[in-house]
Amino acid sequence: MKKRAHIHMHGDVDGVGFRFLVKQKAQSLSLKGYCMQNEQQEIIIDIEGDVNHLDEFMEFIQKGVSPLSKENAFEIEIFDYLKGYTKMETDIV
C-alpha cells in the first residue's frame, strides 16, 4: 500500500544540510516527492511511496534529520491520495 505525507518543518532547519539529508534518505527508501524551503525559512516536504518506507522516513524526521540542527518542530499529515511524483526533488543540488 502507498501513502503520501505532507511535512512542515520549522525551527533550526536553515543552513544545517537538512534538505540534502532529506533527499538522501528519501532516495534510499525509493520515496518520491519534493523538499523545499519557503520564504519563512521553513521546510516543506511532500513525499509518497510504500507505507513501510514512509514510516521509516517519518521516524528519521522525528529523530532529528541533521546533527547540526539544535531544535526543530514539525507537523505531519498523511493522505491516501497520491500525486504521482516520479522522482525526489529539492531546491538545492
Side-chain angles (χ1 to χ4, degrees):
M1 172 184 277
K2 293 187 177 192
K3 297 245 181 195
R4 180 171 61 93
H6 185 80
I7 305 166
H8 179 189
M9 303 284 306
H10 41 91
D12 188 18
V13 294
D14 186 38
V16 294
F18 193 92
R19 290 169 283 169
F20 174 78
L21 295 170
V22 163
K23 182 178 181 180
Q24 242 183 359
K25 183 66 171 179
Q27 288 176 324
S28 76
L29 295 169
S30 300
L31 298 172
K32 313 286 190 232
Y34 67 84
C35 175
M36 308 218 174
Q37 188 171 28
N38 66 16
E39 294 170 358
Q40 293 77 33
Q41 307 303 309
E42 301 165 328
I43 303 295
I44 306 300
I45 304 165
D46 203 64
I47 195 164
E48 62 189 27
D50 180 79
V51 73
N52 294 326
H53 292 162
L54 201 54
D55 287 344
E56 185 176 335
F57 181 81
M58 289 186 290
E59 281 182 34
F60 171 73
I61 294 291
Q62 292 169 346
K63 287 180 182 176
V65 172
S66 173
L68 299 175
S69 180
K70 302 259 185 285
E71 60 182 73
N72 52 51
F74 55 88
E75 293 92 36
I76 299 175
E77 292 180 85
I78 304 296
F79 300 94
D80 291 329
Y81 170 75
L82 302 179
K83 292 193 173 180
Y85 296 117
T86 58
K87 60 184 175 179
M88 184 62 197
E89 298 183 77
T90 65
D91 55 352
I92 60 164
V93 174

